Amino acid sequence: MKKLSLRSLIPNLFTFISLTLGLTAMKFAIENKWEISVSLIVFSSILDNIDGKIARLLKTNSDFGVELDSLADFISFGVTPAIIVYLWSKSLYVENSWAMVIFYAICSSSRLAKFNIASLENQSSAKKIKFFSGISTPAAAGLTLLPMMINFRFNTNFFINDFFIKFYLILPAVLMISNIPTYSM
């Protein structure tokens, strides 16, 4: 096993902080502190974007970093947003389906596994990925939490109805596992 240098740990530190924010967002959702919870997911996605850039800048890309990033993404963007929406809907007395949370998490884990396999296959080629297949898990998390953000900002009840809340998680879940080309920044 190859030793890790201190320099190679810097991008992982950002990943660990991103994971911490994702888990803490779940804690605040359990406490019904919705704005804080959603904000932490937004900050987590910013750090998720930064960790890969730092790894490339420092030339410290590693298989460990790829796997760690996927695990952190699964928690922060594949589980936590669905739990937040589920708990928020329950706080509004809308009986949201737990099956939608499970479906969203399964789609997220499938997307991340597919991405990890693709990154292993592309290691030997110097070609940069310009497009993803489907939307990324941070983008899906943003899409998942968008109705809540709009509700907080504009104090509108437009998205608070049984039908919308029960089935909304399907859209970002399906987009994650779709083959729709999505530009990679």
Side-chain angles (χ1 to χ4, degrees):
M1 188 164 134
K2 194 168 100 173
K3 287 185 180 181
L4 295 174
S5 69
L6 184 59
R7 187 177 74 159
S8 68
L9 295 177
I10 294 170
N12 296 336
L13 179 62
F14 280 84
T15 303
F16 286 130
I17 295 169
S18 174
L19 173 60
T20 301
L21 292 175
L23 289 168
T24 305
M26 201 177 315
K27 173 201 178 289
F28 280 107
I30 291 166
E31 296 172 354
N32 294 338
K33 296 178 179 171
W34 310 116
E35 289 90 350
I36 295 170
S37 183
V38 171
S39 296
L40 289 173
I41 295 299
V42 171
F43 291 134
S44 179
S45 69
I46 292 167
L47 290 177
D48 180 63
N49 193 354
I50 291 172
D51 65 359
K53 288 179 179 17
I54 290 174
R56 285 185 291 282
L57 179 70
L58 297 175
K59 295 180 175 64
T60 58
N61 294 354
S62 68
D63 291 341
F64 177 80
V66 170
E67 294 300 323
L68 178 64
D69 189 62
S70 284
L71 290 170
D73 285 359
F74 179 64
I75 299 295
S76 297
F77 311 120
V79 174
T80 301
I83 297 289
I84 292 170
V85 169
Y86 177 77
L87 293 173
W88 181 60
S89 66
K90 288 190 78 67
S91 77
L92 300 170
Y93 304 104
V94 173
E95 280 303 315
N96 197 347
S97 174
W98 182 249
M100 293 301 121
V101 173
I102 300 297
F103 180 69
Y104 182 91
I106 287 171
C107 290
S108 173
S109 64
S110 298
R111 192 238 172 335
L112 291 165
K114 184 173 138 182
F115 180 78
N116 283 0
I117 290 169
S119 71
L120 288 174
E121 291 171 354
N122 290 334
Q123 270 184 348
S124 60
S125 76
K127 182 179 99 174
K128 278 194 167 182
I129 299 172
K130 296 283 186 209
F131 288 91
F132 287 129
S133 181
I135 65 172
S136 67
T137 52
L143 189 58
T144 297
L145 298 173
L146 186 61
M148 290 178 73
M149 290 186 247
I150 291 170
N151 181 275
F152 302 151
R153 177 69 177 103
F154 299 107
N155 199 21
T156 178
N157 291 333
F158 178 76
F159 298 108
I160 302 175
N161 68 62
D162 280 347
F163 182 79
F164 182 82
I165 291 176
K166 282 183 182 178
F167 298 104
Y168 180 70
L169 283 177
I170 293 173
L171 176 66
V174 169
L175 287 174
M176 275 190 284
I177 59 170
S178 73
N179 289 323
I180 296 170
T182 308
Y183 184 71
S184 168
M185 292 197 222

